[in-house]
Amino acid sequence: MNKAVIEFSSRAENVSFARVAVAAFVSQLDFTLSELEELKVAVSEAVTNAIVHGYGNDPEQIVRLEIRVAENYLEIETIDTGRGIDDIAKALEPAYSTDPERMGLGFAFMQSFMDKLDVISEQGRGTRVKMVRKVRAPGRAAVREH
Amino acid sequence: MNYSIKKDKNCLLVAIFGEIDISITDSLREDIDRALDNYGSGQLVFDLGGVDFIDSSGLGVILGRYKKVAGKGGKVFLAGAKPQVKKVLELSGLFNLMEEYSTAAEVIDKIS
Ligand SMILES: Nc1ncnc2c1ncn2[C@@H]1O[C@H](COP(=O)(O)OP(=O)(O)OP(=O)(O)O)[C@@H](O)[C@H]1O
Ligand SMILES: [Mg+2]
């Protein structure tokens, strides 16, 4: 298992940093360009949610991103210590949003572009969103197990 | 500048470049709304030919403008989306509301 942990301020301009960081770290895996584009959307959604909903756009908070790469899969966990989600099942429904200006598609994209999505949240404590994506074309193993 | 907004013939043309995420959506939304109020255009064209990335925050801006324009009887067109952008637009269902064209020039020719 090869890991990277990044903590950054909850600022809008850091969402693109998070996408680039993940793309760079997973370059050791055999993802195609179009798979990388999908990963970037999933990361963007998770990090944007942490900033916008978790922290209510307060730029002084910290978003933590944990990236774990194994031989044939990738795990990305986005962690905020913000307000938390009241009703996770409802939040995961496509087109559900607590903000009328938003489409409510963030979780739907995370679900379509990743193989597994786990959301753990506690009101007033924060939210952890864990996403797993398998490497579809196993070729050169990125990280060898010893 | 990550986008340009101008009146072209009888429509408002919004050309966006680079990546559309929350770092630009607030100003993009405000600037388009101001232009719509000033020009009162009933036809809004998004030229996405220069866009490399879009997420749901960007889609929210497009849908919000669609509601505004369509509410007054106008139309919104999406032009030039690259494959990765198109995939996200398709999943979102926005193509069911707005017509898709391969270039902005083609839309403008057609509607003017
Ligand atoms: N990290 C978080 N902290 C608190 N609430 C969250 C968090 N992530 C998501 N939510 C809640 O879950 C809802 C659904 O999230 P989702 O990303 O699917 O849609 P959205 O963010 O509202 O809209 P979009 O992603 O389309 O811009 C949000 O409206 C919000 O209420
Ligand atoms: Mg979201």
Side-chain angles (χ1 to χ4, degrees), chain A residues 6-19:
Chain A
I6 309 164
E7 289 190 338
F8 51 88
S9 301
S10 47
R11 293 174 172 271
E13 61 265 36
N14 287 341
V15 178
S16 80
F17 164 69
R19 290 195 297 268

Side-chain angles (χ1 to χ4, degrees), chain B residues 13-71:
Chain B
L13 176 64
V14 179
I16 312 173
F17 312 95
E19 306 191 310
I20 312 181
D21 67 11
I22 50 161
S23 65
I24 68 155
T25 45
D26 283 350
S27 65
L28 182 61
R29 181 187 306 109
E30 285 164 21
D31 289 340
I32 297 174
D33 283 353
R34 192 174 313 115
L36 284 172
D37 291 343
N38 289 344
Y39 298 135
S41 177
Q43 321 227 55
L44 175 61
V45 180
F46 282 100
D47 182 354
L48 303 173
V51 176
D52 301 312
F53 177 89
I54 189 166
D55 63 15
S56 66
S57 299
L59 299 177
V61 172
I62 296 178
L63 179 67
R65 291 337 95 205
Y66 168 81
K67 286 182 179 160
K68 227 179 137 152
V69 170

Side-chain angles (χ1 to χ4, degrees), chain A residues 53-110:
Chain A
H53 303 298
Y55 293 132
N57 291 305
D58 172 2
E60 302 300 321
Q61 304 300 315
I62 293 292
V63 179
R64 183 179 167 99
L65 199 61
E66 299 183 0
I67 317 166
R68 290 179 280 270
V69 163
E71 200 169 342
N72 53 3
Y73 72 94
L74 156 75
E75 223 174 75
I76 303 168
E77 198 162 352
T78 306
I79 300 154
D80 70 68
T81 55
R83 71 202 313 240
I85 302 175
D86 318 347
D87 184 342
I88 296 177
K90 191 138 211 143
L92 290 176
E93 282 172 19
Y96 173 83
S97 178
T98 46
D99 178 344
E101 278 286 304
R102 300 196 157 266
M103 292 194 72
L105 288 182
F107 279 130
F109 284 145
M110 291 182 241

Side-chain angles (χ1 to χ4, degrees), chain A:
Chain A
M1 179 80 77
N2 187 13
K3 284 199 275 192
V5 175
I6 309 164
E7 289 190 338
F8 51 88
S9 301
S10 47
R11 293 174 172 271
E13 61 265 36
N14 287 341
V15 178
S16 80
F17 164 69
R19 290 195 297 268
V20 172
V22 169
F25 193 69
V26 308
S27 66
Q28 51 192 300
L29 289 170
D30 270 341
F31 287 117
T32 63
L33 278 180
S34 102
E35 288 174 323
L36 277 177
E37 291 299 333
E38 296 183 352
L39 285 176
K40 283 192 190 172
V41 175
V43 170
S44 211
E45 299 300 346
V47 171
T48 300
N49 279 354
I51 295 173
V52 172
H53 303 298
Y55 293 132
N57 291 305
D58 172 2
E60 302 300 321
Q61 304 300 315
I62 293 292
V63 179
R64 183 179 167 99
L65 199 61
E66 299 183 0
I67 317 166
R68 290 179 280 270
V69 163
E71 200 169 342
N72 53 3
Y73 72 94
L74 156 75
E75 223 174 75
I76 303 168
E77 198 162 352
T78 306
I79 300 154
D80 70 68
T81 55
R83 71 202 313 240
I85 302 175
D86 318 347
D87 184 342
I88 296 177
K90 191 138 211 143
L92 290 176
E93 282 172 19
Y96 173 83
S97 178
T98 46
D99 178 344
E101 278 286 304
R102 300 196 157 266
M103 292 194 72
L105 288 182
F107 279 130
F109 284 145
M110 291 182 241
Q111 273 170 321
S112 356
F113 292 149
M114 303 296 281
D115 295 307
K116 200 160 168 262
L117 174 74
D118 267 319
V119 181
I120 302 170
S121 190
E122 202 183 324
Q123 264 187 70
R125 285 285 175 107
T127 302
R128 305 176 75 102
V129 174
K130 186 162 105 180
M131 309 185 282
V132 177
R133 172 92 190 220
K134 291 178 211 133
V135 178
R136 306 225 192 285
R140 296 153 276 150
V143 180
R144 307 210 177 270
E145 304 287 335
H146 290 289

